[in-house]
């Protein structure tokens, strides 16, 4: 969208009073470069600023916003003390733009630069983050949202983006320097102690201020390296309109919205007719109040709006289960379960030596991979255009948000039973001991990561690749 059109929409919004407008794109121009660097930012309300790593001196990094079909050209400059890359989570990019070290490109050494260039075919809410040492670089603050606008955006009064994450901070507000511990690799991951919304500590003081009967679109990204969220908007029943960037039939949220690492959801939230304050909770674990929804002022319109329209679907090839080839993917390991047999980088090893010599905890199809030595056999070789069903068998006591690069897939079976309503995902939560069938058409040529998005699990062996040729 041109800057002029953005300005037009904004001024139209100011003038139109109660009329419903398409979601107004943010006015900030899309930056042409991302500089990954080290700086300080206020995360907690009190005390010292926190030393963070981020893009363009901000956590989260700048919102990258494109029209559908627009070419994204982003120059990455590495000003970190480590090599890095950027991966465009969920965006169907050409393989060489996918940002995976040792698979699609060499990691950028400190002070190196690289230009990413790809066309944005699919509308929706996506995000970007490094794929190099992601168990450290992401929780230090390297992530940002990427949005591709619909040709006809959903009519709402306002649009908000919440990049959710967590920081593990000491009493001095500085990050606890305990990245890469084997105990985190093999358990629930390195969990932060400070949930953040757009880089600021969550809590009752984070206020989402609405007017009665106002309608907002809330784009949610879980950029946490390990934390799974379960969001509860008390006193409200938002509509789920999109999951992982793909429109779904609008449905009211009847239970807390579970978002594993890497997952996204777009909600349409109606403020309700009255005034008042409502807590927004993360219901996982002991529960954390993350924000306050405050409703006050003169009503935006006379009454609450009804069901929002559906977002137009992206063009994704529908898998035909009758002709699909069948594949298996078995996960084993973790501190509560030892892999039965195992390999590291293609060489057979006994399990004890996997754990001890490499700090690895997990296997996928009896093989553990780690990102610095991808001397590996791909999990699957697929022909371009092949219709595929992968039966994932979680033989562990842990949840795993599983992410496939370069494709969207549908969950078509759970614990041996077919799934009725199929939605597109790029990242799916697997419960402990669950069996899940996912289906997709392998139409994007290249070698694609298939890994757990608990980034400590990925570093602990839970990553592999799928080759489409
Ligand atoms: Cu996992």
């Amino acid at each position: 969208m041109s800057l002029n059109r953005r300005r037009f929409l904004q001024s139209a919004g100011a003038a139109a009073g109660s009329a419903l407008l398409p979601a107004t794109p943010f006015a900030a121009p899309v930056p042409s470069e991302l500089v990954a660097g080290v700086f300080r930012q206020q995360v907690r309300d009190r005390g010292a600023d926190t030393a963070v790593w981020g893009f363009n001196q901000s956590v989260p990094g700048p919102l990258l916003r494109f029209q559908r079909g627009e070419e994204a050209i982003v120059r990455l400059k590495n000003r970190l003390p480590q090599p890095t890359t950027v991966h465009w989570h969920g965006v169907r990019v050409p393989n060489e733009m996918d940002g995976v070290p040792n698979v699609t490109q060499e990691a950028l050494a400190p002070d190196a630069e690289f230009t990413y260039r790809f066309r944005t075919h699919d509308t929706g809410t996506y995000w970007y983050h490094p794929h190099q040492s992601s168990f450290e670089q992401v929780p230090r603050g390297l992530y940002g949202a990427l949005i591709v606008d619909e040709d006809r955006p959903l009519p709402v009064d306002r649009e908000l983006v919440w990049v959710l994450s967590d920081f593990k901070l000491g009493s001095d507000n500085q990050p606890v320097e305990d990245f890469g511990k084997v105990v985190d690799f093999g358990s629930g991951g390195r969990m932060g102690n400070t949930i953040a919304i757009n880089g600021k500590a969550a809590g009752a003081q984070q206020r989402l201020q609405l007017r009665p009967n106002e309608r907002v679109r809330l784009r949610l990204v879980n950029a946490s390296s390990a934390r799974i969220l379960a969001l509860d908007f008390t006193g409200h029943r938002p509509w789920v309109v999109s999951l992982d960037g793909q429109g779904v039939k609008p449905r009211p949220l009847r239970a807390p919205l579970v978002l594993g690492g890497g997952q996204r959801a777009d909600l349409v939230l109606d403020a309700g007719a009255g005034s008042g304050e409502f807590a927004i909770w993360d219901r996982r674990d002991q529960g954390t109040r993350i924000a306050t929804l405050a409703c006050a002022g003169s009503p935006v319109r006379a009454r609450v709006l009804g069901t929002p329209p559906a977002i137009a679907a992206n063009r994704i090839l529908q898998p035909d289960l009758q002709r699909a080839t069948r594949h298996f993917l078995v996960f084993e390991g973790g501190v509560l379960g030892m892999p039965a047999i195992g390999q590291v980088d293609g060489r057979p090893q006994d399990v004890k030596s996997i754990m001890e010599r490499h700090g690895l905890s997990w296997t996928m199809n009896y093989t553990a991979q780690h990102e610095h030595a991808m001397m590996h056999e791909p999990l699957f070789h697929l022909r371009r255009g092949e219709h595929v069903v992968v039966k994932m068998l979680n033989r562990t006591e842990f949840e795993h948000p599983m992410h496939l690069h370069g494709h969207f897939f549908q969950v078509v079976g759970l614990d041996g039973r077919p799934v009725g309503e199929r939605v597109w995902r790029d990242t799916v939560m697997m419960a402990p001991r669950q069996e899940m069938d996912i289906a997709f058409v392998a139409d994007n040529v290249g070698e694609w990561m298939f890994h757990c998005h608990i980034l400590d699990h990925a570093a602990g062996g839970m990553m592999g690749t799928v080759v489409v040729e």
Side-chain angles (χ1 to χ4, degrees):
M1 182 175 295
S2 73
L3 216 51
N4 282 341
R5 180 157 156 72
R6 280 180 191 156
R7 291 210 183 96
F8 167 76
L9 283 174
Q10 283 177 334
S11 56
S18 69
L20 265 188
L21 287 166
T24 308
F26 298 175
V30 173
S32 58
E33 65 177 40
L34 289 176
V35 182
V38 179
F39 53 96
R40 298 177 93 79
Q41 174 167 313
Q42 186 183 10
V43 174
R44 284 181 170 155
D45 295 329
R46 287 170 220 277
D49 288 358
T50 298
V52 295
W53 297 8
F55 294 106
N56 298 10
Q57 301 286 308
S58 164
V59 178
L63 174 66
L64 302 183
R65 188 155 207 162
F66 303 100
Q67 277 181 281
R68 190 171 66 86
E70 191 178 347
E71 188 174 39
I73 303 173
V74 182
R75 187 151 187 84
L76 172 65
K77 297 183 173 176
N78 183 8
R79 302 283 181 265
L80 301 173
Q82 294 182 356
T84 197
T85 64
V86 168
H87 167 61
W88 316 93
H89 186 123
V91 183
R92 294 196 288 180
V93 299
N95 192 244
E96 64 273 18
M97 294 292 129
D98 202 39
V100 179
N102 303 315
V103 176
T104 69
Q105 71 173 114
E106 290 289 311
L108 278 70
D111 289 321
E113 302 184 6
F114 182 86
T115 299
Y116 292 94
R117 185 186 278 260
F118 52 89
R119 217 163 265 291
T120 52
H121 300 288
D122 303 309
T123 67
T125 304
Y126 305 97
W127 68 297
Y128 59 93
H129 64 84
H131 224 281
Q132 168 83 20
S133 300
S134 55
F135 65 90
E136 174 178 359
Q137 295 190 6
V138 172
R140 284 190 186 277
L142 287 157
Y143 42 78
L146 187 156
I147 290 172
V148 181
D149 279 302
E150 294 106 29
D151 299 344
R152 292 168 56 201
L154 273 189
V156 293
D157 298 308
R158 248 191 314 153
E159 181 171 320
L160 299 161
V161 182
W162 278 9
V163 179
L164 300 157
S165 64
D166 65 4
F167 292 88
K168 186 172 180 180
L169 303 179
S171 55
D172 59 355
N173 290 357
Q174 299 316 306
V176 179
E177 297 287 337
D178 66 345
F179 301 96
K181 277 165 69 179
V182 172
V183 63
D184 286 329
F185 285 2
S187 59
R190 179 183 177 276
M191 202 68 70
N193 55 15
T194 306
I195 298 177
I197 301 175
N198 293 337
K200 296 264 182 282
Q205 81 288 356
Q206 284 254 24
R207 291 170 75 82
L208 172 52
Q209 195 79 47
L210 301 180
R211 284 163 57 194
N213 296 341
E214 187 174 3
R215 167 165 279 185
V216 295
R217 177 178 185 167
L218 187 53
R219 296 182 187 255
L220 301 167
V221 178
N222 185 355
S224 309
S225 55
R227 181 178 295 277
I228 298 159
L229 297 159
L231 302 176
D232 183 1
F233 298 80
T234 60
H236 292 77
R237 189 165 276 183
W239 303 88
V240 180
V241 296
S242 163
L243 294 169
D244 288 355
Q246 310 313 308
V248 296
K249 185 166 176 273
R251 62 188 80 171
L253 190 63
R254 295 187 192 280
L257 174 74
V258 175
L259 277 185
Q263 292 190 309
R264 291 88 63 213
D266 288 24
L267 304 180
V268 166
L269 177 72
D270 291 307
S275 297
E277 299 208 341
F278 305 88
I280 302 175
W281 288 85
D282 169 31
R283 293 288 187 197
R284 288 280 296 206
D285 306 323
Q286 74 281 10
T288 308
R289 182 171 175 171
I290 63 164
T292 300
L293 200 166
C295 200
S298 56
V300 169
R301 59 181 58 78
R303 56 192 170 81
V304 180
L305 293 164
T307 311
I311 294 170
N314 288 312
R315 293 172 57 164
I316 308 172
L317 288 175
Q318 193 72 32
D320 176 351
L321 304 192
Q322 300 310 314
R323 59 189 267 224
T325 55
R326 305 268 159 171
H327 304 265
F328 288 86
L329 191 51
V330 181
F331 313 136
E332 293 194 319
V335 290
L336 301 178
M338 282 287 186
I341 53 173
Q343 300 186 348
V344 173
D345 297 333
R347 292 188 303 276
Q349 309 258 345
D350 69 82
V351 167
K352 254 188 124 100
S353 71
I354 292 178
M355 303 289 284
E356 286 169 7
R357 277 192 239 157
H358 299 274
L360 297 173
S361 308
W362 311 91
T363 58
M364 290 171 76
N365 283 359
Y366 314 110
T367 299
Q369 316 272 355
H370 52 105
E371 65 177 8
H372 297 300
M374 295 286 287
M375 302 155 39
H376 57 273
E377 266 302 303
L379 295 165
F380 312 120
H381 286 271
L382 306 173
R383 282 168 291 109
R384 182 183 192 177
E386 187 171 335
H387 293 235
V388 180
V389 173
V390 178
K391 182 178 281 296
M392 298 196 291
L393 301 146
N394 181 7
R395 294 197 178 139
T396 81
E397 303 300 329
F398 290 86
E399 295 164 281
H400 301 289
M402 296 306 300
H403 174 42
L404 173 64
H405 289 208
H407 298 80
F408 298 105
F409 56 82
Q410 292 174 330
V411 177
V412 298
L414 274 179
D415 293 321
R417 288 184 299 276
V419 169
E421 191 188 358
R422 297 172 186 170
V423 298
W424 293 108
R425 303 235 55 148
D426 55 55
T427 309
V428 68
M429 282 301 301
M430 283 199 80
R433 298 276 157 192
Q434 194 171 47
E435 289 187 22
M436 181 183 284
D437 301 303
I438 62 167
F440 62 99
V441 179
D443 59 352
N444 202 352
V445 169
E447 184 169 13
W448 302 102
M449 297 298 297
F450 196 169
H451 68 94
C452 181
H453 223 285
I454 292 178
L455 299 172
D456 309 278
H457 290 187
M462 228 175 150
M463 58 165 79
T465 66
V466 175
V467 171
V468 181
E469 54 206 348

